[in-house]
Amino acid sequence: MSYLTRPLDQKGMPAGIPYIIGNEAAERFSFYGMRTILVVFMTQYLMGAGGELAPMSDEDAKGWYHLFVSAVYFTPLLGAILADVWWGKYKTILILSLVYCGGHLALALDDTRLGLAIGLGLIALGAGGIKPCVSAHVGDQFGQGNRDLISRTFGWFYMAINVGAFASTLLTPWLLKHYGPHWAFGVPGVLMALATFMFWAGRNKFVHVPPSGKGFLREAFSSESLRIFGRLALIYVFIAVFWALYDQTGSSWVLQARQMDRNILGFELLPSQIQAVNPLLIIVLIPLFSYVIYPALGKVIRLTPMRKVAMGFALAAAAFAISSLAQERIDAGGTPGVSWQLLAYLVLTCGEVMVSITALEYSYTQAPRAMKSFIMALFMLSVSLGNIFTSLVNFFIQNEDGTVMLEGAEYYWFFTILMAVTAVIFAAVTPFIKDRTILQG
């Protein structure tokens, strides 16, 4: 069957957009739902091959978790190449979504390390592979007549992401506690199957932009593209350190929350559920920064993209300093309130707005027209590198006698200092990046 290969000349919303928005909400529910409970599952519910309880140590669980996240953000390179060279975005998303469903099925059926490895491997391939394609697929649906609706559409798209993340972050920890891992991983799997069906159902509504084939390779290895890669690579190395801290909200911060007083207004939150505050804060903070904070800062200093990123680095260091102080109280035998983590989440999410969104927008504007997905994949590689670093730290600090280096608050202070040093160095080289690297070309 033949599909549209270019947008229709129309003023209204493209017919395929509702299918994309629904798909995104269900897919994000599935991903954040399973990711939210991973560390708790590995440290409390993981079974051995003989049917006995065989949980991991905290350090092993953090190592596995960050290795998985690093894989999720490495495979976008594969997805971008498949989409831009051979399959096109629609076929790439559909096929890798089926792989994604297989990963959820493995986690839901097998609660041993084998099921964990197979499930996480398939999800990393599926979830990561579709990442650079989905947002670019949204843009493909618009022509000149309705291009003014793109901003509104991406607003709904981003809202779908956060609604899915918020709902699943509250629900799946509850399912894990009351019904066990089969249901807790199974429900996100059902949502991923629904996401795949909704995407397939929109096939006749979508614009299917053909892959560029060898033209992509010529573009990728042109002198201009190589200069662009070099310009962005320096920034991404620094941003990788930010992700090394940020993604610990799903690992070390969950483990820390188990030792806190989690009562809020008479309700006791589960350790994994505290992560739900992040999507809520994102929804509030993006307009706050856009309409209040950035204009106010702009009256004091010239607010360049690189200065926003540098400030975001400083906020990430401050957030981890807060968690370090909380851990010191835990190490001393206390039970600090979860308000410590809520404050740290607020500061870290402010940093996320300044680092992640700014870097994404900057990367997109730098990318050649035929390589938008590929440049997005390179940005995601910085997330992968940051998580590989955190994974290696957690495996390395384990001693043969069962003790660990960087125990307790020392672990948190290590990452706090690392981020603070990164922020200082980045701020020092920002004038060089701005004058010699970023603005040329």
Side-chain angles (χ1 to χ4, degrees):
M1 179 177 179
S2 60
Y3 298 114
L4 287 172
T5 58
R6 59 172 49 191
L8 297 173
D9 185 14
Q10 61 180 10
K11 295 291 185 181
M13 189 68 70
I17 293 301
Y19 296 90
I20 297 175
I21 299 299
N23 164 267
E24 187 67 10
E27 186 272 324
R28 289 290 84 186
F29 183 106
S30 78
F31 179 76
Y32 283 105
M34 59 77 54
R35 196 180 82 162
T36 293
I37 59 174
L38 264 184
V39 168
V40 174
F41 166 73
M42 290 187 287
T43 56
Q44 296 182 18
Y45 294 85
L46 190 64
M47 304 297 288
E52 74 285 1
L53 190 66
M56 294 183 186
S57 68
D58 289 356
E59 287 70 35
D60 275 342
K62 287 187 286 184
W64 271 68
Y65 176 88
H66 289 285
L67 197 60
F68 164 67
V69 176
S70 72
V72 170
Y73 287 93
F74 181 81
T75 52
L77 286 173
L78 172 63
I81 293 173
L82 286 174
D84 289 344
V85 179
W86 290 295
W87 289 352
K89 298 182 188 71
Y90 172 79
K91 187 177 180 180
T92 300
I93 295 170
L94 186 62
I95 291 176
L96 292 182
S97 291
L98 294 173
V99 174
Y100 199 162
C101 290
H104 279 294
L105 182 63
L107 287 179
L109 296 180
D110 189 343
D111 52 7
T112 69
R113 291 200 182 205
L114 177 61
L116 181 68
I118 294 173
L120 295 186
L122 292 176
I123 290 174
L125 177 59
I130 69 175
K131 271 183 177 296
C133 307
V134 174
S135 58
H137 183 63
V138 174
D140 287 346
Q141 307 308 305
F142 292 87
Q144 291 299 324
N146 55 6
R147 191 157 295 274
D148 59 313
L149 297 176
I150 290 181
S151 179
R152 182 189 305 175
T153 301
F154 271 105
W156 283 106
F157 183 79
Y158 203 81
M159 183 67 71
I161 292 172
N162 286 282
V163 168
F166 175 71
S168 63
T169 303
L170 289 179
L171 179 61
T172 53
W174 181 84
L175 287 173
L176 181 64
K177 180 179 179 179
H178 294 283
Y179 294 97
H182 298 298
W183 277 95
F185 286 123
V187 170
V190 171
L191 266 292
M192 188 59 223
L194 176 62
T196 305
F197 173 77
M198 292 181 70
F199 190 75
W200 174 82
R203 65 195 183 282
N204 294 323
K205 308 291 185 180
F206 297 145
V207 174
H208 298 244
V209 175
S212 56
K214 294 180 179 179
F216 170 85
L217 298 177
R218 288 194 297 269
E219 181 89 41
F221 290 101
S222 69
S223 58
E224 177 59 25
S225 293
L226 293 175
R227 283 196 294 270
I228 291 171
F229 297 159
R231 294 168 192 167
L232 296 174
L234 179 60
I235 302 170
Y236 292 166
V237 169
F238 286 98
I239 291 177
V241 181
F242 172 82
W243 294 117
L245 276 73
Y246 177 85
D247 280 321
Q248 292 192 56
T249 56
S251 59
S252 63
W253 284 22
V254 173
L255 296 173
Q256 184 186 70
R258 292 196 311 203
Q259 302 169 290
M260 290 178 152
D261 178 2
R262 300 186 301 277
N263 284 290
I264 298 179
L265 301 176
F267 295 94
E268 184 177 14
L269 294 173
L270 296 171
S272 299
Q273 288 179 316
I274 300 169
Q275 298 171 74
V277 73
N278 175 256
L280 279 183
L281 286 171
I282 284 288
I283 293 170
V284 173
L285 289 175
I286 287 178
L288 181 64
F289 269 81
S290 297
Y291 297 108
V292 179
I293 296 176
Y294 285 154
L297 287 174
K299 295 177 181 178
V300 180
I301 60 172
R302 181 170 173 265
L303 200 58
T304 64
M306 294 304 100
R307 284 179 176 171
K308 290 181 183 179
V309 172
M311 292 177 188
F313 288 167
L315 288 171
F320 253 71
I322 294 169
S323 64
S324 301
L325 293 171
Q327 189 63 40
E328 285 184 348
R329 283 154 176 76
I330 293 171
D331 294 346
T335 308
V338 75
S339 57
W340 281 88
Q341 272 205 3
L342 296 179
L343 176 60
Y345 264 107
L346 173 61
V347 177
L348 185 63
T349 308
C350 288
E352 178 189 2
V353 172
M354 301 192 85
V355 174
S356 180
I357 295 176
T358 303
L360 271 172
E361 291 175 353
Y362 186 81
S363 299
Y364 188 83
T365 60
Q366 293 291 295
R369 185 182 299 273
M371 299 184 65
K372 299 294 186 183
S373 295
F374 189 72
I375 292 296
M376 293 299 101
L378 289 181
F379 171 75
M380 293 172 190
L381 187 60
S382 69
V383 186
S384 177
L385 294 175
N387 278 274
I388 287 175
F389 176 79
T390 303
S391 178
L392 291 175
V393 167
N394 278 280
F395 286 129
F396 177 77
I397 62 176
Q398 300 181 61
N399 297 318
E400 293 183 1
D401 61 359
T403 60
V404 294
M405 298 177 282
L406 298 178
E407 192 168 8
E410 293 178 352
Y411 177 87
Y412 292 88
W413 282 118
F414 168 78
F415 281 97
T416 300
I417 294 170
L418 175 66
M419 190 74 256
V421 171
T422 301
V424 170
I425 295 174
F426 187 78
V429 303
T430 289
F432 170 77
I433 296 176
K434 179 185 66 175
D435 296 336
R436 306 237 181 143
T437 307
I438 301 298
L439 295 182
Q440 288 181 358

